[in-house]
Amino acid sequence: MSRPPTFTPPPCARARVLATERGDFAVLDAVPRTPERATALLLPGYTGSKEDFIALLEPLCAAGYRVVAVDGRGQYESKGTGRQESYAQAELARDVLAQAAALGGGDGRLHLLGHSLGGQIARAAVLLDATPFRSLTLMSSGPAEVVAAQRDKVRMLSDALSVLSMDEVWEAMRALDPPQDADTGDGADMRHRWLAHHPAQLIATGAQLAAEPDRVDELAAVGLPVHVLSGERDDVWPVELFDSMARRLGARRTTIAGAEHSPNTARPSETAKALAAFWDGLPAV
């Protein structure tokens, strides 16, 4: 579970609702003071939210990019339903295309980034329709299903969510936290976010993480510029899988030193610099 350094947006950003043809989505919309070079749409991972990108907003705005971080359907402040079918990957991918359209992505200038689960949803959106996007960044998001230990964790969480309340599951998870995570100062915000997630969303997307097929060759055939970015260690997918995926895609590859599964929260300055360098280096459309 990503731990953002704060849940308070920086001065360059405001929390608002993004209205789309597929419903409303809660976003953090960060706009640079100078004319924007392009817009980046950021999708969070499993159990995460738009706040996981808070520390990237100011440095990316300073680099000239408008950044829109979104809560997906059923995540934190975006409404969801109690039907797991609503969170099928194809449905979530269509949500992303609707968000892109609402941001004026029809000109092909929109950079798409997905963290972990968000990367696999972003990939699915590109495979449905790549035309709104200038590039795709897969941040700590592997080519197929998560490792066996993570599949076991997802299965245990889904089983618990089927019989317990979100509050009961939260208390059970906190009891398993290592001592160093017990007093991080963000407990109330993290708990509030967790309780706002829709359990059906977590169950459905957890099943996706445990069974995602390898679609790297399909993505390579699209021809969209891709950036594979990760920390130097990762317990969800082996880093070696990120390396091989980047080679298969002919993608730019960035490894953030000192970071693990969430370089966006662990090393935001270095991560933002790598993202801006990738976007800056693409030919103008």
Side-chain angles (χ1 to χ4, degrees), residues 146-284:
V146 297
V147 297
Q150 293 295 328
R151 295 198 296 271
D152 290 342
K153 288 183 179 180
V154 166
R155 190 176 302 110
M156 290 174 59
L157 178 58
S158 295
D159 289 346
L161 290 169
S162 298
V163 296
L164 300 175
S165 69
M166 291 292 284
D167 195 26
E168 289 171 327
V169 173
W170 173 260
E171 294 302 325
M173 291 193 301
R174 294 292 66 78
L176 298 174
D177 274 349
Q180 63 268 26
D181 290 345
D183 296 307
T184 58
D186 61 0
D189 288 329
M190 293 288 287
R191 180 178 181 275
H192 176 71
R193 177 173 73 173
W194 170 261
L195 294 179
H197 273 71
H198 207 294
Q201 186 267 350
L202 292 169
I203 293 171
T205 56
Q208 292 168 30
L209 284 170
E212 177 73 3
D214 187 321
R215 306 185 71 187
V216 174
D217 291 344
E218 292 178 66
L219 180 60
V222 173
L224 191 71
V226 179
H227 185 191
V228 176
L229 184 149
S230 75
E232 61 182 352
R233 294 176 299 278
D234 199 294
D235 63 354
V236 183
W237 289 276
V239 170
E240 294 77 13
L241 278 183
F242 299 139
D243 296 337
S244 63
M245 180 173 68
R247 288 192 295 270
R248 292 169 64 191
L249 290 168
R252 186 184 184 110
R253 176 74 175 104
T254 301
T255 303
I256 303 296
E260 297 186 17
H261 187 60
S262 298
N264 44 309
T265 59
R267 295 289 187 271
S269 296
E270 297 87 342
T271 301
K273 183 177 179 180
L275 293 173
F278 170 59
W279 296 334
D280 289 349
L282 295 174

Side-chain angles (χ1 to χ4, degrees), residues 11-24:
C12 64
R14 66 186 179 100
R16 71 176 184 92
V17 172
L18 178 66
T20 81
E21 63 178 12
R22 289 178 62 85
D24 294 344

Side-chain angles (χ1 to χ4, degrees), residues 5-38:
T6 178
F7 276 68
T8 303
C12 64
R14 66 186 179 100
R16 71 176 184 92
V17 172
L18 178 66
T20 81
E21 63 178 12
R22 289 178 62 85
D24 294 344
F25 295 89
V27 302
L28 294 176
D29 192 345
V31 180
R33 294 177 181 175
T34 55
E36 64 195 64
R37 304 186 63 172

